[in-house]
Amino acid sequence: MMTSKWISVISIFCLTTVLLAACGSNESKPDNDRSAASDVHKSTAGKQEVLIDASFPKYNNLDELENRANLIIEGRVLSSTFKFLNVAERPSQPGDDQLNPGTTPADSPPIPYTIYDVEVQKVYKGAVTEKETIQVKQVGGENQQTIFKVNDTSELKEEGDYIMFLATFDNSPASLLNPIQGSYELVNNQIIASDKNLIKLEINDLKQLTE
Amino acid sequence: MKIRFMKLVISSLILLPLVLGLSLKVNAELTDIGSPTPGINVKSPDHLNDTWKTPINNAITAWNGTATKVTIGYSSASSNTITAAQYSDTWYGLNTQWRSPYKYTIQLNARTITRDAKNFSNFVKGTAVHEFGHCFFLKDNPNTTLPSIMKYSNDFNTVTTPRPYDIDDVNSVY
Ligand SMILES: [Zn+2]
């Protein structure tokens, strides 16, 4: 009697484990399934899908973000356009082999970018003025033939309001410091960080920059 | 009655490791574009100076030394490229992959890498190992507490090679 009870307990345990493991394996898969499904969806639109993976520096806290950005604004996205840009610069400081790998801009393939026109609402750091329109670029986007898909990015929405931490360049539109930590959406005066951004930001933090 | 229970126990015990093994394999977080074959080529970046070429070589050697089927070889006929320049942007590296025919382009940013590198050759190597990882379906920022060359939180001054987590992921594909 004792043995049969013991056996049934073990069997139930084993069965449960097997079932749970089976469920678990179904659950850990959807990332692939979902992207495969979205491929089918996209291919019906007849566009080729190209994947761009970009790796960026990660920032540990708000101080690092504020120090690295040379432009911090609240801005409204007015419109966006898609363009291939060659953002490679002509070699500078000859003799510095690290800064100058030996290439010229012609050696670099152009990169697909979405370029946003952003109207500056407030300036927290940097040399722009309120109501000025600046351009912000982000890798990826789509044209008639191709979707240049970037994983792990938060796209800026037209007519959306954002706090942006930007790097500016002489010969090219500004860039967010990275796609996750470089922008915060503003909705009803609430600052909303993207899912994977663990750095909290409040308006008072920004006001301190201008004091 | 007893025999039925025994059958259940035995079949569970046989199934258990199989199912667990399977579930471990599909834990991999993968992208949906990557090389269809484990062996990839790249045009030798002869336009780069040795300060860049050597650590890129070291990155290729690092992948070729892993316990995986993947290999990276130089071929002058390859349409796959790796290059570096001072790009007016905030990224360290970019890997653009086309599905069919499969092709990839890796671009390394001398501006950001030079700025943040304390150990330059490690930094280039780590960034290049990371970018080649995308060719093998590895995804940025995998959701794991284990070390991975694909994490944004890596310091490429010190993390320069594929980690066991990455190798498991690659082995789940090829
Ligand atoms: Zn990456």
Side-chain angles (χ1 to χ4, degrees), chain B residues 11-27:
Chain B
S11 54
S12 303
L13 287 177
I14 292 169
L15 273 172
L16 193 60
L18 273 175
V19 174
L20 283 180
L22 275 176
S23 70
L24 279 180
K25 271 205 159 175
V26 294
N27 271 340

Side-chain angles (χ1 to χ4, degrees), chain A residues 52-56, chain B residues 93-95 127 130-134 138-141 149-152 156:
Chain A
I52 306 182
D53 284 287
S55 61
F56 287 86
Chain B
L94 216 58
N95 183 340
T127 310
H130 172 108
E131 296 308 333
F132 277 117
H134 286 304
L138 298 190
K139 194 178 177 191
D140 277 318
N141 271 325
I149 192 71
M150 305 312 288
K151 286 189 172 177
Y152 281 164
F156 291 130

Side-chain angles (χ1 to χ4, degrees), chain B:
Chain B
M1 204 55 187
K2 236 180 183 173
I3 292 168
R4 234 169 95 190
F5 273 128
M6 282 310 281
K7 271 185 181 166
L8 266 177
V9 171
I10 288 165
S11 54
S12 303
L13 287 177
I14 292 169
L15 273 172
L16 193 60
L18 273 175
V19 174
L20 283 180
L22 275 176
S23 70
L24 279 180
K25 271 205 159 175
V26 294
N27 271 340
E29 272 190 89
L30 303 169
T31 60
D32 52 357
I33 298 186
S35 170
T37 58
I40 59 171
N41 282 322
V42 64
K43 203 187 281 280
S44 175
D46 291 327
H47 56 297
L48 301 178
N49 61 33
D50 288 343
T51 307
W52 282 84
K53 231 162 82 175
T54 305
I56 289 171
N57 255 324
N58 295 341
I60 289 172
T61 308
W63 270 116
N64 288 342
T66 56
T68 64
K69 291 203 181 84
V70 304
T71 55
I72 306 170
Y74 285 129
S75 156
S76 54
S78 179
S79 50
N80 304 320
T81 57
I82 181 162
T83 191
Q86 277 182 66
Y87 294 103
S88 298
D89 210 335
T90 48
W91 39 265
Y92 288 135
L94 216 58
N95 183 340
T96 309
Q97 298 182 85
W98 287 261
R99 199 191 297 272
S100 63
Y102 178 74
K103 173 180 115 144
Y104 67 88
T105 293
I106 293 173
Q107 286 157 285
L108 304 175
N109 195 348
R111 168 197 291 271
T112 50
I113 290 174
T114 304
R115 182 194 65 201
D116 293 346
K118 293 177 202 88
N119 182 326
F120 181 81
S121 96
N122 274 1
F123 211 104
V124 174
K125 180 186 171 191
T127 310
V129 166
H130 172 108
E131 296 308 333
F132 277 117
H134 286 304
C135 296
F136 307 126
F137 292 92
L138 298 190
K139 194 178 177 191
D140 277 318
N141 271 325
N143 191 12
T144 174
T145 52
L146 298 171
S148 160
I149 192 71
M150 305 312 288
K151 286 189 172 177
Y152 281 164
S153 52
N154 282 330
D155 180 354
F156 291 130
N157 288 298
T158 50
V159 182
T160 64
T161 53
R163 315 315 296 179
Y165 178 87
D166 306 313
I167 288 164
D168 284 351
D169 270 5
V170 167
N171 282 332
S172 77
V173 180
Y174 304 106

